[in-house]
Amino acid sequence: MFTGIVSGAGTVLDVTHNQEQSLAVLRLHAPGHASDLDLGGSIAINGVCLSATSNDGETLSLDVMGETLQRTTIGELRAGDRVNLERCTPAGARLDGHVVQGHVDTVGTVLARTDHGQWTKFRVGLPAAYAPFVAEKGSIALDGISLTVTAVSAARDAEHWVEVGIIPITLRETTMGQRQVGDRINIETDVLAKYVARLRGFEVQD
């Protein structure tokens, strides 16, 4: 489990795709995050929970399966890209963000970025199928960052979106500071909303 409190940044070294096996290997420089990460241990990369397959203390390799490549932006990463990093939450630690599984639901697109001096508002579009899982003042994880939803589209709208406000430290320390209109971004909706929907018989229709 994660909390969506990004603890640092990593740099992509390369992504190697194996089309026959529907698999990719992500290799990245992760200073301060790799030294005590055991093989098979979990780390969130832009909100995607992945397991370390090799580790020399600063450089990690992680296998990415086809389902993850299909649902997230991991397969779009290129050498030199900056990524958000978060290690899994130890038992007894403070839950400063919200419950984040690292199980990305879908990919959204930045529709608007409005700078307000000390903070920035982002509007992110998301597929209609996932709009019911988002509520104003609820929680959402964008590229692994725990954020509070400040506004949502109306249920009857043709285009579905969420808005979030980003404070300076988050702009500075995460990838959100680099995000521009048109950028694709990983979205994980609130797990509680998904379980409630499941119990009520609601099925996601992609």
Side-chain angles (χ1 to χ4, degrees), residues 58-87:
E58 286 200 348
T59 300
L60 293 175
S61 291
L62 310 108
D63 287 345
V64 187
M65 64 179 182
E67 170 74 3
T68 305
L69 293 171
Q70 179 183 347
R71 283 188 179 261
T72 77
T73 62
I74 292 292
E76 302 169 16
L77 294 173
R78 298 293 180 266
D81 285 350
R82 186 170 177 249
V83 292
N84 298 323
L85 302 177
E86 183 189 354
R87 294 286 303 275

Side-chain angles (χ1 to χ4, degrees), residues 111-185:
L111 301 177
R113 172 178 175 153
T114 308
D115 295 312
H116 293 274
Q118 293 299 306
W119 64 282
T120 298
K121 180 173 71 177
F122 285 86
R123 177 175 288 192
V124 178
L126 75 164
Y130 296 93
F133 303 139
V134 182
E136 186 175 344
K137 304 307 177 188
S139 297
I140 194 169
L142 300 181
D143 271 352
I145 307 163
S146 175
L147 297 166
T148 300
V149 177
T150 58
V152 296
S153 55
R156 64 183 178 276
D157 288 352
E159 183 180 73
H160 292 274
W161 49 264
V162 298
E163 286 184 353
V164 295
I166 310 294
I167 60 176
I169 190 171
T170 306
L171 290 170
R172 200 167 54 242
E173 300 296 329
T174 76
T175 58
M176 287 304 293
Q178 304 168 352
R179 291 288 175 242
Q180 301 296 330
V181 173
D183 286 354
R184 284 160 52 82
I185 192 166

Side-chain angles (χ1 to χ4, degrees), residues 8-24:
T11 304
V12 175
L13 298 175
D14 53 61
V15 182
T16 304
H17 291 265
N18 185 325
Q19 302 294 346
E20 291 183 0
Q21 297 182 11
S22 188
L23 180 78

